[in-house]
C-alpha cells in the first residue's frame, strides 16, 4: 500500500496549481519560500523541474513537492581513497572523470503528513524514475546537498545514501567551503544495484 499512489495525483508544480492550492508548509521557511516563489521560474529557466502530489479528495492540498535537475559527480576531484571507493563498482574500462547524476534540489513533505513514510515514498519514486525504460538519459547516481542536521542526514542514510566525503574537514578542503560546521553535506545514492535487481525480476 502506498499513500501517494492510492490517495494522490502526481503532476508538475505549475503556477496554476500553486494559485489553486493552499499554501504549502513543510516546516522549513526556505523550502516553503522556494516552492511558492521560485520553483516556477526555475522551471522556465530550465534550471530545475518541480513536481508535487496533491490529495485526491482535496486537490487544493499539496502533500509533498520536490525539485530535480541534471548534475554530475566529479570523481577526478575526490581524494584518492574516496575516489577508489566511489568507482569500485565501475569497470575500469568505463571509468570517467565525471559521472551523470540527478540532483534533488528541494524536497518537502507537508507538516500534516509528516511521520507517515511519505518522504521515503517520494524517494523511491525518484529512484525508480531514473532506472525505468522511459527514462531518456543515462543516470548513474542521485545526489543531494543535504542539510547538515541529524534528522535530514538520517532520512538520507535510511534511504540508502552515503556521504561523498568521509569527513566534514575533507569536504571543506575539496569544496573550498568556509564555516564550521558545514550547513550542508554532499550525499549520493548509486542506482546501478537497483537497476540490475529490477531488471533481473
Amino acid at each position: 500500500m502506498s499513500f501517494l499512489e492510492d490517495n494522490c495525483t502526481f503532476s508538475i508544480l505549475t503556477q496554476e496549481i500553486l494559485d489553486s492550492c493552499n499554501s504549502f508548509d513543510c516546516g522549513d521557511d526556505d523550502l516553503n519560500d522556494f516552492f511558492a516563489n521560485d520553483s516556477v521560474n526555475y522551471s522556465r529557466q530550465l534550471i530545475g523541474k518541480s513536481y508535487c502530489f496533491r490529495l485526491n479528495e482535496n486537490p487544493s492540498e499539496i502533500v509533498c513537492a520536490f525539485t530535480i535537475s541534471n548534475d554530475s559527480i566529479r570523481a577526478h576531484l575526490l581524494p584518492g581513497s574516496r575516489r577508489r571507493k566511489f568507482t569500485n563498482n565501475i569497470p575500469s574500462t568505463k571509468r570517467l572523470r565525471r559521472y551523470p547524476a540527478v540532483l534533488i534540489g528541494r524536497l518537502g513533505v507537508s507538516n500534516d503528513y509528516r511521520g507517515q513514510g511519505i518522504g521515503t515514498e517520494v524517494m523511491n519514486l525518484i529512484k525508480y524514475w531514473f532506472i525505468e525504460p522511459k527514462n531518456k538519459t543515462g543516470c548513474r547516481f542521485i545526489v543531494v546537498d543535504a542539510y547538515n542536521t541529524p534528522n535530514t542526514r538520517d532520512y538520507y542514510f535510511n534511504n540508502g545514501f552515503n556521504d561523498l566525503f568521509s569527513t566534514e574537514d575533507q569536504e571543506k578542503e575539496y569544496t573550498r567551503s568556509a564555516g564550521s560546521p558545514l550547513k550542508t553535506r554532499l550525499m549520493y545514492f548509486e542506482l546501478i544495484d537497483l537497476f540490475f535487481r529490477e531488471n533481473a525480476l
Side-chain angles (χ1 to χ4, degrees), residues 7-26:
N7 299 282
C8 299
T9 298
F10 179 62
S11 62
I12 297 170
L13 186 61
T14 63
Q15 189 63 56
E16 290 73 21
I17 286 177
L18 287 169
D19 291 342
S20 68
C21 287
N22 302 324
S23 296
F24 177 70
D25 185 3
C26 66

Side-chain angles (χ1 to χ4, degrees), residues 83-153:
R83 183 169 61 250
R84 286 189 292 274
K85 179 179 179 180
F86 182 78
T87 60
N88 188 50
N89 292 331
I90 301 174
S92 58
T93 57
K94 303 296 183 185
R95 290 181 183 167
L96 308 169
R97 290 170 59 84
R98 61 177 66 194
Y99 294 91
V102 61
L103 170 70
I104 301 174
R106 304 289 195 286
L107 191 157
V109 176
S110 169
N111 284 335
D112 295 332
Y113 297 91
R114 301 285 287 274
Q116 300 183 36
I118 289 174
T120 294
E121 286 187 35
V122 172
M123 186 59 66
N124 287 337
L125 176 145
I126 295 171
K127 290 175 182 176
Y128 281 92
W129 206 356
F130 287 95
I131 63 169
E132 68 173 11
K134 292 182 181 179
N135 177 32
K136 294 181 174 61
T137 184
C139 179
R140 177 78 185 219
F141 299 95
I142 297 174
V143 293
V144 62
D145 213 7
Y147 287 145
N148 192 14
T149 61
N151 286 343
T152 298
R153 284 173 55 74

Side-chain angles (χ1 to χ4, degrees), residues 152-180:
T152 298
R153 284 173 55 74
D154 283 348
Y155 163 74
Y156 285 106
F157 282 132
N158 291 336
N159 280 281
F161 281 71
N162 294 295
D163 286 321
L164 189 57
F165 296 92
S166 57
T167 66
E168 284 194 43
D169 287 340
Q170 188 182 73
E171 187 166 341
K172 287 178 185 178
E173 178 182 353
Y174 280 84
T175 59
R176 295 187 174 91
S177 299
S180 181

Side-chain angles (χ1 to χ4, degrees), residues 28-43:
D28 184 283
D29 291 340
D30 179 61
L31 289 176
N32 293 339
D33 181 69
F34 173 82
F35 287 120
N37 301 307
D38 297 325
S39 60
V40 172
N41 191 47
Y42 267 55
S43 181

